Amino acid sequence: MTTSSGSHRSEPATTADERDMLDGWLDYHRATLVWKCDGLQDEQLRRTPLAPSELSLLGLVRHMAEVERYWFRKIILGEDLPEVYCTNENPDGDFHFSEAATWAEAEQVWQTEVEQARRAAAGRSLDAVSQAGSHHRGEVFSLRWVYTHMIEEYARHNGHADLLREQIDGATGD
């Protein structure tokens, strides 16, 4: 598997400063998710091979677009934005999609949210506090907390992606 952009995954330098290390690990995990999807057809990316789970590789990419949007734009910047795929009627819309859902659309939306996330974090101190509170309890977050959470979120879902990819075509890899 290679990433569809032709790029490779690079672990951050082992002696990087905190900000560069957090940026590096977040980008590493973003690249890992794309790598796990690389070379598959839309039909394969839509598959949910781990019944009864509704997880699919396409759903994971759509989910991470929602997560990037939520934490960096809605929480850090305080932007009032609708969700991309989810609605009140379909709160799991990132994982519920039609046969018309494509990798091209999901990757474009996800890449846009990743770029928006980078802009939201640029120039902010890791100690900067979010402009909005969470929808659960209203607490605010430092940018450092959001970075750490995003790395955890991607790492967890990349583990799911490993299992999904192996079930789809037998491909494995770190």
Side-chain angles (χ1 to χ4, degrees):
M1 290 180 286
T2 59
T3 61
S4 37
S5 64
S7 64
H8 63 286
R9 298 176 312 148
S10 297
E11 291 184 15
T14 59
T15 58
D17 67 21
E18 182 181 18
R19 181 61 174 264
D20 288 341
M21 196 165 292
L22 290 171
D23 277 328
W25 278 111
L26 184 52
D27 284 341
Y28 174 85
H29 281 292
R30 287 168 172 155
T32 298
L33 183 57
V34 173
W35 178 55
K36 292 297 174 179
C37 297
D38 188 56
L40 297 176
Q41 301 299 313
D42 286 343
E43 179 277 323
Q44 293 172 301
L45 292 163
R46 288 189 297 263
R47 280 188 203 165
T48 57
L50 300 173
S53 172
E54 294 181 310
L55 285 178
S56 67
L57 289 168
L58 188 66
L60 288 174
V61 171
R62 288 165 51 113
H63 175 69
M64 292 312 298
E66 293 280 21
V67 172
E68 294 269 3
R69 183 179 185 94
Y70 177 78
W71 285 106
F72 287 100
R73 296 179 68 191
K74 293 174 113 175
I75 298 299
I76 292 297
L77 296 181
E79 293 181 4
D80 183 20
L81 299 169
E83 295 190 50
V84 179
Y85 300 108
C86 302
T87 64
N88 287 337
E89 299 76 36
N90 189 6
D92 293 322
D94 39 2
F95 290 101
H96 299 160
F97 44 81
S98 73
E99 292 296 313
T102 67
W103 167 253
E105 183 273 339
E107 183 184 32
Q108 185 276 320
V109 169
W110 175 75
Q111 289 287 359
T112 297
E113 292 304 329
V114 167
E115 286 309 312
Q116 292 292 325
R118 288 184 177 121
R119 284 189 200 106
R124 284 187 164 64
S125 161
L126 291 173
D127 295 323
V129 176
S130 64
Q131 299 297 307
S134 77
H135 64 274
H136 294 294
R137 294 186 302 264
E139 66 261 287
V140 294
F141 302 89
S142 71
L143 181 58
R144 178 182 289 102
W145 190 97
V146 171
Y147 266 102
T148 304
H149 174 68
M150 290 298 295
I151 292 165
E152 175 273 328
E153 181 92 4
Y154 271 102
R156 183 165 35 92
H157 289 315
N158 283 338
H160 298 140
D162 283 338
L163 294 171
L164 291 165
R165 181 68 190 245
E166 185 173 9
Q167 289 298 305
I168 291 167
D169 71 352
T172 60
D174 59 353

